[in-house]
Amino acid sequence: MVSLSDLPLRDDLRGASPYGAPQDAVRYALNVNENTHPIPEGVARDIVESLAHAVIGANRYPDREFAELRGAFAGYLGHGLDASQIWAANGSNEIIQHVLQAFGGPGRSVLGFPPTYSMHPIIAAGTGTEWVTAERDAGFVISPETAVAAVERTDPDLVFLCAPNNPTGTPLSIEVIEAVYSASRGMVFVDEAYAEFMPDEVPSALTLLPGRERLIVSRTMSKAFAFAGVRVGYLAADAAVTDALRLVRLPYHLSALTQAAALAALRHAPEMLAMVDDIRGQRDRLLTELPVLGYRAHESQANFVLFDGVADPGATFRALRERDILIRDVGLPGALRVTAGTEDETSYFLGALAALGQGGAR
């Protein structure tokens, strides 16, 4: 049997590692920022009925333009958007891939601000786009001045921003996005995967879309909608951007079943999002109680909390794993990340962490 090194792999992929979040079977999986609340039973029944209806016509290809779904997303997002400004794909990762295929590629670059979503550089590499980076300010924030200086220094073809940021949960001000757009010549991609968990008074980058044809705002159904297993991501942008993405998408890339499930979930958006306030509450509980245990919890507007002051993150990760809890070691010194789950999950995690003693397992 040959090894990977024996294959004629692209030189720029040699030595690279695939995305590798653990998928261990544990009782408390709090490591990949899923919505751990179950889908309401009545909503689940409607989704199943919609899938059953779609299966009857599964001998035919699905709507290549997923027109009904795009209209439903436009209605959900509001802000005067229409279906021509919406694109959808198999999770926000495929959205990112489509954007980089259309606007990145060999000889082009994308600017990011680590620590940030780990798939951004991986997908950039897969599309042959150079990944260039700039440092954040203290506390993982980005000021308009820092962002503009990075754009002027690197002159990227794309800029990737996360609002709020993953893996830190850090807010990103609307002023930063405005400043980056004004300073750049290329596409500005704002990843709002956790937007529904932001405070209600915090404006979305969607408010900046009018008159900014190079701005893209990405969302997902994986988090607030508890739809991680269905794989539906989407974006809002100028209609010309969706025309560009048609050039690179695979034919019929959204199955009839995916479209049916997403449409059914959107019909029940208020019920699906009713759990968001509870998740915010558990996030805020983590922000309050982790410092009591001797850790520093970083400000978060997402459904997770990054905390540091961990003496040995690897040992603490393993000790929690032995207690049937899976959280995330994101590779930051002395830090770990935990998803805000249900009240029971949060209580169990905090109790287990307290039992390990201040600073975690040593």
Side-chain angles (χ1 to χ4, degrees):
M1 182 179 294
V2 300
S3 67
L4 183 61
S5 61
D6 297 319
L7 298 176
L9 190 67
R10 280 168 30 192
D11 290 341
D12 61 317
L13 293 181
R14 291 191 179 279
S17 299
Y19 180 81
Q23 285 191 302
D24 295 349
V26 296
R27 183 179 178 186
Y28 299 96
L30 303 173
N31 64 320
V32 288
N33 303 337
E34 296 159 320
N35 184 335
T36 64
H37 294 64
I39 294 173
E41 185 176 348
V43 179
R45 286 200 189 98
D46 190 26
I47 293 171
V48 170
E49 290 175 5
S50 298
L51 289 170
H53 181 75
V55 165
I56 295 173
N59 59 309
R60 302 291 188 181
Y61 285 113
D63 175 10
R64 185 175 58 245
E65 295 300 319
F66 44 97
E68 186 179 1
L69 180 58
R70 290 165 69 196
F73 276 131
Y76 168 69
L77 292 177
H79 295 281
L81 295 165
D82 62 44
S84 71
Q85 296 174 269
I86 304 296
W87 191 252
N90 291 281
S92 58
N93 288 326
E94 190 177 41
I95 289 287
I96 296 165
Q97 184 179 59
H98 284 172
V99 169
L100 285 170
Q101 285 177 314
F103 301 107
R108 295 191 173 193
S109 64
V110 53
L111 170 65
F113 293 83
T116 191
Y117 180 39
S118 59
M119 282 303 300
H120 286 170
I122 292 174
I123 300 174
T127 60
T129 310
E130 182 186 4
W131 173 250
V132 297
T133 62
E135 293 186 0
R136 292 171 173 264
D137 300 316
F140 303 119
V141 302
I142 308 174
S143 67
E145 295 77 15
T146 293
V148 169
V151 171
E152 292 176 345
R153 175 176 57 83
T154 61
D155 187 31
D157 297 280
L158 302 98
V159 181
F160 276 13
L161 301 167
C162 286
N165 188 51
N166 177 18
T168 64
T170 314
L172 182 77
S173 73
I174 205 80
E175 290 78 16
V176 171
I177 301 169
E178 289 181 292
V180 166
Y181 188 90
S182 297
S184 66
R185 61 175 175 79
M187 306 301 293
V188 177
F189 180 90
V190 182
D191 190 333
E192 286 194 341
Y194 301 93
E196 285 90 350
F197 302 105
M198 296 192 300
D200 293 335
E201 68 273 13
V202 174
S204 163
L206 293 169
T207 61
L208 299 178
L209 281 174
R212 293 180 174 88
E213 70 282 353
R214 294 181 289 106
L215 179 62
I216 298 171
V217 183
S218 174
R219 294 285 188 95
T220 182
M221 297 189 80
S222 295
K223 312 301 181 182
F225 273 86
F227 242 39
V230 181
R231 311 305 301 126
V232 184
Y234 57 104
L235 64 75
D238 190 274
V241 172
T242 63
D243 285 340
L245 301 182
R246 286 186 178 87
L247 302 175
V248 298
R249 61 99 179 265
L250 294 174
Y252 313 107
H253 71 287
L254 276 180
S255 77
L257 300 183
T258 299
Q259 293 182 46
L263 281 165
L266 287 168
R267 286 197 298 270
H268 296 276
E271 296 156 82
M272 295 289 276
L273 297 178
M275 61 192 89
V276 166
D277 283 343
D278 183 58
I279 295 169
R280 287 173 172 172
Q282 295 307 312
R283 174 200 64 201
D284 294 344
R285 181 183 171 198
L286 289 167
L287 291 171
T288 299
E289 297 191 26
L290 282 167
V292 174
L293 298 179
Y295 302 95
R296 179 176 67 161
H298 291 270
E299 179 184 6
S300 175
Q301 290 187 352
N303 70 333
F304 58 83
V305 172
L306 179 78
F307 61 100
D308 58 25
V310 185
D312 186 337
T316 299
F317 173 89
R318 291 188 294 274
L320 290 171
R321 175 64 186 83
E322 291 173 0
R323 289 160 172 79
D324 226 15
I325 306 168
L326 199 59
I327 63 172
R328 190 72 176 269
D329 185 345
V330 295
L332 296 174
L336 291 167
R337 189 192 72 191
V338 59
T339 303
T342 63
E343 182 179 3
D344 173 66
E345 289 170 328
T346 303
S347 296
Y348 190 86
F349 161 72
L350 289 169
L353 190 63
L356 297 179
Q358 186 171 349
R362 290 179 169 85

